[in-house]
Amino acid sequence: MRRFCSLLGCGFLAVMLLAPPAEGAEPARVLLRAQAVAGGAVQVTATVVDARGAPVAQAPLVFKRRTAFGWLTVLETSSGKDGTAQMTLPAGRGPGEIAVEAGEEGIVRAVVVVGEREAPPPAVRPGRNVLLGLSPQPGFISPYPVPMQAVLFGLILGAIWSTYGYVVWQLLRIRRDRQP
């Protein structure tokens, strides 16, 4: 009896593993692969599998692309008999993220980054020798002003504020002279 049960268990396991993809099975995972194709386009392939790892046929899929304003639906389709679906992004698109949601309610989700993101250049202030090549007076655009230019800048600001002070002093004198 024990031998019969173990044979029955092995037979059941073999049938489950070798069974064709089941339609209507619940997707457990979405596997994504992005690869470059001719002309600079990118092909994204989604494979939907169930909890056992078997492909799920006819699973509804939604391909989305991340934009500055959120996720934009690019394609709504269903997986084929082998559990896969493909989408091709045209050439000229910059780097970005592509997400795929599988299932009736979008219960399974996977994201892949398409293209290469360029690192921004380092934010380093240029030195004085670089600024000398850009301007005949580098002190005005340099983080390290020349002392004479700092004095000139101080004199200009001082003249502006002393003019304001002189106007206020004159207004106070006029007000004082008007009072009986």
Side-chain angles (χ1 to χ4, degrees), residues 75-116:
L75 176 68
E76 291 184 19
T77 186
S78 60
S79 61
K81 290 182 181 180
D82 59 350
T84 64
Q86 294 179 345
M87 178 192 72
T88 303
L89 291 172
R93 297 284 181 142
E97 295 179 48
I98 299 293
V100 176
E101 296 176 351
E104 294 293 331
E105 303 285 328
I107 54 173
V108 181
R109 181 182 176 108
V111 178
V112 65
V113 176
V114 177
E116 295 182 19

Side-chain angles (χ1 to χ4, degrees), residues 5 67 70 80 94 104 124 143 154 160 165 167 175-176:
C5 287
T67 65
E104 294 293 331
V124 178
I160 291 171
V167 169
R175 186 175 187 189
R176 185 187 52 167

Side-chain angles (χ1 to χ4, degrees), residues 51-177:
R52 298 181 328 216
V56 178
Q58 301 303 318
L61 294 172
V62 179
F63 286 81
K64 296 182 176 186
R65 182 175 175 90
R66 182 186 293 271
T67 65
F69 304 105
W71 290 95
L72 173 69
T73 299
V74 179
L75 176 68
E76 291 184 19
T77 186
S78 60
S79 61
K81 290 182 181 180
D82 59 350
T84 64
Q86 294 179 345
M87 178 192 72
T88 303
L89 291 172
R93 297 284 181 142
E97 295 179 48
I98 299 293
V100 176
E101 296 176 351
E104 294 293 331
E105 303 285 328
I107 54 173
V108 181
R109 181 182 176 108
V111 178
V112 65
V113 176
V114 177
E116 295 182 19
R117 296 178 189 242
E118 293 182 18
V124 178
R125 295 179 110 172
R128 186 162 180 74
N129 55 352
V130 173
L131 293 173
L132 280 172
L134 297 175
S135 171
Q137 296 178 337
F140 284 121
I141 60 173
S142 173
Y144 313 106
V146 178
M148 185 61 194
Q149 291 167 345
V151 170
L152 179 64
F153 187 69
L155 287 174
I156 292 171
L157 281 179
I160 291 171
W161 282 105
S162 60
T163 302
Y164 286 140
Y166 178 75
V167 169
V168 168
W169 180 68
Q170 289 294 336
L171 289 173
L172 289 174
R173 282 187 58 203
I174 293 171
R175 186 175 187 189
R176 185 187 52 167
D177 290 343

